[in-house]
Amino acid sequence: MGAESVRERFAELYGAAPEGVWAAPGRVNLIGEHTDYNDGFVMPFALPHQVTAAVSRRTDGVLRLHSADVEGGPVELALDALEPGSDHDWTAYPAGVVWALREAGCPVTGADVHLSSTVPTGAGLSSSAALEIVVALALNDLHELGLPRWRLARLCQRAENVYVGAPTGIMDQTASACCEEGHALFLDTRDLSQRQIPFDLAAEGLRLLVIDTQVKHAHSSGEYGKRRAGCEKGAALLGVDALRDVPYSGLDRALADLGDEEEVRRLVRHVVTEDHRVERVVTLLESGDVRAIGPLLTEGHASLRDDFRISCPELDLAVDTSLSAGALGARMTGGGFGGSAIALTEASAVDTLTKAIKEAFAHAGYRAPRIFEAVPSPGARRLA
């Protein structure tokens, strides 16, 4: 839904035109999975799929929320009644952002919000982060809060961690807020330092396909939290602040020091090797050797499948079929337990690859996957 149609629907719902329209994208993570809450490195880029929001301020302490993607009229919430764990519906994400802003001392006095999204939900493409960022950016602009993008990302992460109860890292919100068109974002999640890395696949005759398995996941479910707790245990046992502090050159010693903590050993091995893979991908992209990142993507999937154990049969089939059909590299992306995979391929092989994946899913009796090209796109911005 474009800016004008979102504006028109807002006027129908609330009786007046909105003060503005904003958009925030979903993201694909090229490399660097489950490293963000370990103070490590990640490398996402923004998708053309986005959440669009028409917003106006209120002064009566009321938040009214409506989504074009959910049946029913606007949901009305009192700002003074917002508290963590009070909402288990989709409204928890935008309401959590308002709560986080007010907890940080920002004078948000209420709002009318209408939302529309083209980001697939439950696909590991950060639909929730896009929803949070678009609301945060709109309120930042309307209330002239003057908060920088990285600060908005931090507040949105707090909303998701504390208000919603999902123990996610900072990558998704930062990607939605800060990515630039034609680039991947090399992000150090410890200090939020960023570097925009040129990532023009079309110029190289390449494409990156997203394969949405349509297997849904929920980050607030127990398995994601267990992985995070296991990583924190590993850091504590090794005497470091976070697993990011375990050097790749010292990995074997660290694993030996963990003794018979086999589950923790696997988690540590993934995080340390994944951080190293991110650094290697950055080096290759900056040298212009884009095709050479393919094997690193595949290596990352094996680590997520075997060490972190967050893949599933549908994701493995998407990756294995992509590689058999000629992809340069493939891996699952996102939090895991479903969602999407990505495949780097020559532009000339897109049709062959797509056909092979769809046939493999049909033969296995799985739901037909949704396959589309990922084009590095702009981050959050005001549209009107």
Side-chain angles (χ1 to χ4, degrees):
M1 186 177 287
E4 191 55 40
S5 56
V6 171
R7 177 188 288 275
E8 291 173 358
R9 182 59 175 141
F10 181 100
E12 293 173 4
L13 290 164
Y14 299 119
E19 292 184 82
V21 180
W22 290 260
R27 66 96 188 98
V28 158
N29 192 25
L30 181 64
I31 193 74
E33 220 65 77
H34 288 268
T35 50
D36 58 345
Y37 55 78
N38 289 291
D39 283 359
F41 305 122
V42 295
M43 201 172 186
F45 63 89
L47 289 169
H49 307 74
Q50 61 188 20
V51 178
T52 307
V55 185
S56 287
R57 289 168 290 180
R58 297 178 65 95
T59 59
D60 58 358
V62 171
L63 175 65
R64 293 196 293 182
L65 301 167
H66 183 266
S67 172
D69 309 298
V70 180
E71 291 185 6
V75 176
E76 185 170 309
L77 303 170
L79 298 192
D80 290 341
L82 299 180
E83 60 180 34
S86 62
D87 189 348
H88 300 286
D89 206 349
W90 70 269
T91 51
Y93 295 95
V97 170
V98 174
W99 170 83
L101 286 167
R102 285 165 57 86
E103 282 285 299
C106 299
V108 177
T109 55
D112 287 336
V113 182
H114 170 61
L115 298 150
S116 179
S117 179
T118 59
V119 184
T121 59
L125 303 176
S126 298
S127 58
S128 60
L131 173 55
E132 293 157 1
I133 288 294
V134 76
V135 171
L137 182 62
L139 296 175
N140 188 50
D141 288 353
L142 289 175
H143 289 279
E144 298 181 341
L145 302 177
L147 298 173
R149 296 295 182 98
W150 69 265
R151 178 68 173 142
L152 292 178
R154 278 289 190 206
L155 288 169
C156 288
Q157 182 199 15
R158 176 168 168 75
E160 189 152 350
N161 288 173
V162 180
Y163 195 92
V164 178
T168 54
I170 190 63
M171 174 182 66
D172 296 349
Q173 292 83 3
T174 305
S176 187
C178 300
C179 279
E180 294 182 3
E181 187 173 9
H183 293 76
L185 179 69
F186 177 39
L187 173 67
D188 182 334
T189 64
R190 169 163 283 170
D191 61 11
L192 297 191
S193 59
Q194 304 174 17
R195 200 155 87 236
Q196 301 287 345
I197 309 297
F199 193 51
D200 187 353
L201 293 171
E204 299 290 332
L206 297 172
R207 298 290 186 273
L208 189 76
L209 298 182
V210 175
I211 306 145
D212 176 6
T213 66
Q214 308 219 45
V215 176
K216 304 302 181 185
H217 65 79
H219 275 173
S220 53
S221 64
E223 290 301 316
Y224 186 100
K226 287 178 184 177
R227 300 307 188 280
R228 182 164 186 166
C231 290
E232 292 169 352
K233 180 179 179 180
L237 289 172
L238 293 170
V240 295
D241 290 336
L243 293 184
R244 183 268 185 65
D245 298 312
V246 179
Y248 180 74
S249 61
L251 177 59
D252 288 344
R253 174 163 184 165
L255 295 178
D257 288 344
L258 289 170
D260 59 358
E261 293 278 357
E262 183 54 36
E263 182 175 352
V264 175
R265 282 164 54 90
R266 290 197 309 270
L267 299 179
V268 170
R269 182 165 51 228
H270 167 72
V271 172
V272 175
T273 58
E274 186 79 346
D275 271 336
H276 188 55
R277 278 186 285 273
V278 176
E279 293 180 298
R280 291 160 69 193
V281 167
V282 170
T283 298
L284 289 169
L285 291 181
E286 290 187 326
S287 69
D289 197 358
V290 183
R291 284 172 174 77
I293 74 172
L296 294 176
L297 303 184
T298 306
E299 184 182 303
H301 181 75
S303 182
L304 289 162
R305 181 193 64 213
D306 301 336
D307 277 343
F308 231 68
R309 299 189 178 183
I310 58 170
S311 190
C312 66
E314 292 86 351
L315 285 169
D316 291 340
L317 181 61
V319 169
D320 293 344
T321 304
S322 296
L323 296 172
S324 296
L328 301 173
R331 73 175 191 90
M332 60 156 285
T333 186
F337 312 107
S340 299
I342 56 175
L344 180 68
T345 181
E346 302 289 348
S348 59
V350 167
D351 290 345
T352 300
L353 200 67
T354 300
K355 182 174 183 287
I357 295 167
K358 288 183 175 180
E359 288 179 350
F361 270 61
H363 185 264
Y366 296 151
R367 185 178 177 184
R370 179 172 181 246
I371 303 173
F372 58 91
E373 183 183 346
V375 179
S377 301
R381 61 211 182 277
R382 186 168 185 164
L383 300 179

